[in-house]
Amino acid sequence: MFLKNAWYCAGWDYEVHQGKSAIIARKIAGERVVLFRKPDGAVVALEDRCPHRQAALSLGRKEGNSLRCMYHGLKFNAQGICEEVPGQTTIPERACVRSFPVVEKDNWIWVWMGDPAKADPNLICFAVGPGDPNWNIKTSQMHVKTNYRWEIENLADLSHLAWVHPETVGGDRQYSEIKPKYEITPRGLNTIFWVRSVAPTGAVAHIFPEGTKLDICFDIQHTVPCNWIMHFRAFYAGTATEGESNGQLLLDTWTCQSVTPCDEDSVDYYYSWGASKETEFPGISNLLGGTLDIAFTEDKIMLEAQHQRRKERPDLKMVNIANDAGPGKMLWVLDKLIREEADGAQVKAQPQPA
């Protein structure tokens, strides 16, 4: 169900601070993970499960570079090795927990859920974080009770903007008639499309004089497990019907989104949006960030209701339409990598000839 050899977003860096209570529990691809920051600033990710009685280490206490289970006091270092068992001098050999590779990049914390030997930081997706001085990026997050594959479908098909988001990030029927250009990559899908001479989206329409028309470019990098990075640019409508708009650039923005599956029934969604310092005008990045909270609540309602129905009728043969091309391509890449990972594990498990 989940690709293990991948970097999964575990949240924003500011959540895992130096406070004594900053011990963060996550569920990532079916695994319980606890995160905390050492005094030197490095983030630690351990299995959130004490090997003694399976107590939650996320209910524990930070002690220097270590984390103490507050059920019976076992203490584990940053490598997951037990350093102390109160009441005895010997430490059982199996008194250890799994430690996960961690990287901080673009203000996101990334955890590698697979083979640590394959944890290549170069596989972390490109993003523009709130720490980038050239952009005014606003961050947020949300928990959604749906399967992450449905989130992939939702993000890989923006024709739904016309119908789910008429008052926020959509509003024009032309969104349902888009003709994206797709490029399949080794770990995802690049998508680009334009909508031309359309009304401003619902959330910003009030800013412009009535009758204003825009050309809007959606340039998206979608990578496994479900990272979605979009360069969104808006121009005053020009006369070009193909390629770059020849209208005046109005707004240059990035929205960076990462969907992390908790299990088969829920996801954590970390997202941001903001404008370049060169094109920003007062208040617009705050408006963009707040708009995503509303728009993704709209998605949440739709996706959670869909998830319930797909669980009720998992074998129902659904109807395909033209706009399913993007979701089909992205899920093909994901499933290909999952199959290759499973095949590799099977070969590794086979006994070697003498």
Side-chain angles (χ1 to χ4, degrees):
M1 171 172 286
F2 302 117
L3 184 67
K4 291 297 185 179
N5 287 323
W7 292 99
Y8 285 81
C9 183
W12 297 103
D13 56 2
Y14 58 76
E15 296 179 85
V16 190
H17 51 76
Q18 290 285 7
K20 65 179 182 179
S21 62
I23 301 171
I24 309 298
R26 294 284 191 253
K27 194 175 185 184
I28 302 175
E31 302 278 353
R32 298 280 185 183
V33 178
V34 57
L35 302 150
F36 68 97
R37 195 177 291 276
K38 297 193 298 184
D40 67 3
V43 174
V44 175
L46 301 176
E47 181 179 5
D48 189 9
R49 192 184 308 275
C50 180
H52 172 222
R53 295 279 176 81
Q54 296 201 48
L57 292 180
S58 53
L59 297 177
R61 183 174 70 198
K62 291 197 286 186
E63 295 186 8
N65 293 330
S66 301
L67 189 62
R68 188 181 293 277
C69 176
M70 293 305 288
Y71 192 17
H72 293 92
L74 280 70
K75 186 170 76 166
F76 301 89
N77 66 18
Q79 291 72 45
I81 299 169
C82 185
E83 299 177 313
E84 180 186 351
V85 180
Q88 64 186 66
T89 56
T90 60
I91 298 175
E93 185 177 342
R94 293 190 299 110
C96 57
V97 295
R98 182 181 176 187
S99 175
F100 300 89
V102 180
V103 171
E104 291 186 75
K105 184 173 182 284
D106 304 314
N107 301 105
W108 270 333
I109 295 173
W110 298 93
V111 179
W112 182 265
M113 301 304 295
D115 181 354
K118 297 180 179 179
D120 181 0
N122 292 320
L123 295 178
I124 297 174
C125 69
F126 164 82
V128 177
D132 192 312
N134 298 313
W135 303 83
N136 188 9
I137 303 295
K138 304 301 180 181
T139 68
S140 194
Q141 62 194 67
M142 183 177 292
H143 186 74
V144 185
K145 295 177 181 177
T146 193
N147 188 285
Y148 81 113
R149 294 175 70 91
W150 318 154
E151 286 279 10
I152 289 174
E153 291 177 345
N154 187 62
L155 287 167
D157 169 22
L158 293 188
S159 68
H160 77 274
L161 294 181
W163 313 108
V164 179
H165 307 297
E167 301 300 323
T168 51
V169 293
D172 196 302
R173 189 186 177 106
Q174 190 172 332
Y175 288 111
S176 65
E177 300 165 357
I178 57 178
K179 304 297 181 187
K181 294 180 180 178
Y182 299 111
E183 177 194 1
I184 294 177
T185 67
R187 295 179 74 85
L189 182 70
N190 293 341
T191 307
I192 187 167
F193 65 90
W194 287 82
V195 287
R196 300 181 191 272
S197 194
V198 295
T201 57
V204 300
H206 63 282
I207 297 175
F208 299 94
E210 188 174 350
T212 298
K213 297 293 184 179
L214 305 177
D215 294 339
I216 302 175
C217 180
F218 297 75
D219 190 349
I220 303 159
Q221 299 174 37
H222 199 167
T223 56
V224 297
C226 186
N227 307 309
W228 195 88
I229 313 299
M230 181 172 72
H231 193 192
F232 175 97
R233 293 177 298 146
F235 303 75
Y236 286 110
T239 58
T241 58
E242 292 186 1
E244 193 78 1
S245 173
N246 59 1
Q248 178 188 348
L249 177 64
L250 170 64
L251 198 61
D252 188 6
T253 77
W254 284 98
T255 173
C256 301
Q257 305 173 22
S258 190
V259 177
T260 298
C262 304
D263 48 38
E264 66 177 351
D265 294 314
S266 65
V267 303
D268 286 325
Y269 199 168
Y270 307 100
Y271 53 90
S272 66
W273 201 1
S276 69
K277 297 292 180 66
E278 292 182 353
T279 63
E280 184 177 37
F281 45 96
I284 190 62
S285 288
N286 287 316
L287 173 60
L288 294 175
T291 296
L292 283 190
D293 287 332
I294 301 170
F296 290 167
T297 299
E298 295 167 342
D299 279 325
K300 175 184 170 79
I301 293 167
M302 184 64 70
L303 288 166
E304 290 185 345
Q306 176 201 39
H307 182 59
Q308 289 176 342
R309 284 152 182 78
R310 289 175 85 152
K311 283 182 71 73
E312 290 167 359
R313 298 283 298 278
D315 299 324
L316 178 67
K317 187 172 179 60
M318 293 182 289
V319 176
N320 292 322
I321 62 174
N323 286 322
D324 293 331
K329 293 176 189 296
M330 187 61 203
L331 289 172
W332 179 85
V333 172
L334 175 66
D335 289 338
K336 177 176 179 288
L337 291 170
I338 290 174
R339 284 195 307 271
E340 290 174 351
E341 186 174 277
D343 291 344
Q346 199 170 40
V347 169
K348 187 176 180 180
Q350 291 177 354
Q352 298 299 310

